[in-house]
Amino acid sequence: MKEYGNIKALIEVMNAHGVEYVFFNPGIDNVPVLETISKYSAEGKKSPRGILCLDEFVAMTAAHGNYMASGRPQVVSVHSELGTLQIGGALHNAQWGKVPVVFFTENQGPPQRTNWRGEAFDQGTMVRNFVKWDHQLAAGEDIIDIFKKAFNIATTEPCGPVYLTLPREVLWDDKNITEKTSPDIARAAIPEADAETLDKATGILIEAEDPLIVTGYSGRNLESVDSLIKLAEALSSRVLTTDIRVNFPNTHPLSAYLSVAVGYGNPLLTTADAILAIDYDMHYAGPPAALRKDVKIIHIDIDTVKKGVPLWGRKPDILIKADSSRAIPALTDILNKKITPERRKQLKERFSRLETEHNKLSDEWRELAKSHAKRKPISAHWLSHCINEAIDDDTIIVNQTISPATIVAHLIERTRPGTLLSCAGGCIGWAPGAALGVKLAAPDKTVISLMGDGAFIYGCPEASLWSASFYKAPYLAIIYDNQGYGAIKGLFSEKYDVDNMGADIPTPPDYSKIASANNAYGRMVEDPADVPVALKDCLSMVKSGKPAVLDVRLQPV
Ligand SMILES: Cc1ncc(C[n+]2csc(CCOP(=O)(O)OP(=O)(O)O)c2C)c(N)n1
């Protein structure tokens, strides 16, 4: 076999960064990579494992899920311009999910779009809006240096995708250059929060009568879940969290769940007199939820620039660039020292009031769901309740439900760090591929993905299920099948039934058959009484090693 010197060196760089998988779809570009990986594996040498994804969207999405569950940097390898285009909106999701992924192609495109040397014209323009850095290897540049730089940029917080285009002759180079070592790049230290500024922030928070903590992705550091509980309890402040991660348990008395889709309209934002935003990418509020004029906003984030969000709206009064996993405990320490016994007593009373409100609301949601036990068609409430009953605390929920997102958020309890992973971006179709990547990262955990019928199809389910079966990474996909694009339907104010306006999927496909066509177990349910038993059967299939799809026919939108 030929030895590809450059590729051997690239594999060493991947090994040094703890890369476990190369999610790929083939072209001439990755032949040397795949050949070298298989040679390493045959010889028992350490190298990432190649995971063939039958669609590039799934390759990038699986990398996204794998990062969320493992925290490891990712590598995706696709075929030139065409493979890059096929990644599509999965790259937008990876950008907003802050996924440290290096993805590379060769810079030879399809003949119609290349120059006489076979080089594509500025391939990076396709992705420039969605990456931290894109680079085409120039003559005389050292590929190893560039690869190390790519990892350094992708993994420096805020993390994000990096795109490399590489000349074919460099990829196929057969000189043995593994001895050649380019120096490692130093990693930037993550800033500590400035103690004086934290102290100023605590003054505002202690004084506030109606404080609110809002968090987006602080739970990526698993220990931050516990420290955020301590902070919220010290302050007796409610916590609104996106569903991107378990940032705060939704069972906690101070939890006030914020789903991404309704973030703008949350009434708690309109009444708060102090907002502490932590690792949060959304505008604090937009119409119709106007903030109080006198609200004070403190924002702690590793990403204070928010590149790609041109207008932020209301700006923070105090902005702290810091690693939240260290800033949250530091803030709590200062608070605990500063709160007077008298104020502590008042805060305790506030805690009791918020706890009562939370418990009441939580009981109402649960009772409502149970009251749908016999309702036909099946309701999203009943389905979510049954899922909650069927899972254990360690099950990882991979969630991209859209119109039922708030129902899922209230009825599926997640308490342990890392057991809820959702898509920070807006491209639908994330859940099937992400679940594949999550299961590869967490083979001992049960992985359940939740999505609408629209999302299932956008997510290239055949590609994801095939890989899940072939690579023994079985997960259960549950379809909240409302036979249409519920979120879009909600935007139509009138419907005249003259034709399909574009939001209904009447006579829908039988999605369970997509499963059985792809070495997976498929089941469709229409009766609410069948939901618990169908869930049980699907989960036992998954335990036996087979991916499963449960198509739950809900009330059409
Ligand atoms: C790739 C992509 N295409 C279109 C949209 C616009 N869009 C937003 S929500 C939505 C409906 C998704 O349907 P489904 O996943 O079934 O969820 P539902 O709204 O029915 O709950 C669509 C089409 C999008 N966000 N991403």
Side-chain angles (χ1 to χ4, degrees), residues 9 139 146 154 187 261 268 275 299 321 329 367 378 405 424 479:
I146 293 296
R187 299 198 58 80
L268 294 174
I275 293 174
H299 192 136
K321 183 175 174 72
E367 287 316 308
I378 301 168
I479 306 173

Side-chain angles (χ1 to χ4, degrees), residues 402-404 426-428 452-455 458 482 484-488:
I402 310 293
S403 46
C427 183
I428 316 271
D453 44 329
Y458 285 119
N482 56 15
Y485 298 126
I488 306 296

